[in-house]
Each structure stands twice: as C-alpha cells, then as structure tokens.
Amino acid sequence: GVDRTRNRSPPPQDYFPYTPRQGRVRPYNTEHRVVVNNLSTRTSWRELKDYFRRVGEVTFADAHRYQERQGIVDFARRSEMRTAVKRLDNTELDGRKIKVSCQRSSRSRSPLRL
C-alpha cells in the first residue's frame, strides 16, 4: 500500500511546550511580550518560537498575523522578556536582521521598566 503519513504535517500539539510534571501545556498570552520586526516572510511561528526559546520559556508565538514581517513572542517571566531584547535584538534570523522590542501592556499605564 501507499504510505499516506509521509506528507502530513505534524499535529498542532507539537506547539505546546512539554513539562514532565504537567504534561503538555496550552499556549497562553502573558504581559511579557516582545514584538519582532523585519522577519523574513519564510519565518514561521514555530521557527520564531524555537529561536526565542534560547533565552527563556516561550508561552506563545505568532508570525505575520497582524502585519507582514512582524511577529510576537510571549514569555513566562519579565526577566526573560528583557533578556530577549538584550540578546536577540539585531541578530539574524532566516537571513534578516531582526529588531526586538518590548510591547507595552495594555493593562498597565505605568512605563515599562527594563
């Protein structure tokens, strides 16, 4: 017979981070968000999430949803968000130099402190 599983994309669950105690965790938004500008149109949310995992626990990532060449990445902790800006701003992803900045929380009117 024909192997029909070869061309199937992985199940959506592979997006969810795995923690041994809790099993898979659904993605969730936090107030610790960075905006990534100048993304390559080839960059997917999975690649964006994997790239930013090197600086912390990514709880959510999306690419090109609201604006082409722009992505968002949410972190579990504020310190990880700050580290992402410091370490990944002006780095190269998929052949393009990305610009990483903090997004102000709409929930708070106080200035964002890095």
Side-chain angles (χ1 to χ4, degrees):
V2 176
D3 182 8
R4 297 182 195 277
T5 60
R6 277 196 314 196
N7 293 329
R8 289 189 185 159
S9 55
Q13 285 88 355
D14 72 346
Y15 173 83
F16 307 140
Y18 179 78
T19 57
R21 273 185 289 137
Q22 301 168 327
R24 292 199 180 268
V25 178
R26 292 193 58 76
Y28 60 96
N29 296 110
T30 69
E31 58 188 25
H32 313 303
R33 174 174 288 182
V34 296
V35 177
V36 186
N37 286 297
N38 200 35
L39 280 179
S40 166
T41 53
R42 296 185 321 253
T43 305
S44 71
W45 62 265
R46 283 187 175 104
E47 292 165 318
L48 190 61
K49 179 187 67 158
D50 290 344
Y51 188 74
F52 277 81
R53 264 192 190 148
R54 65 180 72 179
V55 295
E57 181 186 340
V58 174
T59 62
F60 181 82
D62 209 345
H64 316 289
R65 178 175 291 195
Y66 304 108
Q67 187 176 333
E68 193 169 298
R69 297 198 183 279
Q70 185 181 76
I72 56 171
V73 180
D74 287 2
F75 290 95
R77 287 170 281 287
R78 185 174 174 193
S79 61
E80 296 166 336
M81 173 189 71
R82 291 192 305 248
T83 301
V85 173
K86 288 176 189 170
R87 288 190 37 204
L88 300 179
D89 186 35
N90 290 315
T91 59
E92 197 171 292
L93 176 61
D94 285 337
R96 295 184 68 93
K97 192 171 271 197
I98 58 171
K99 185 71 184 153
V100 181
S101 58
C102 294
Q103 178 178 352
R104 288 209 148 135
S105 171
S106 58
R107 299 176 204 158
S108 170
R109 291 186 182 195
S110 60
L112 186 62
R113 293 185 196 155
L114 291 177

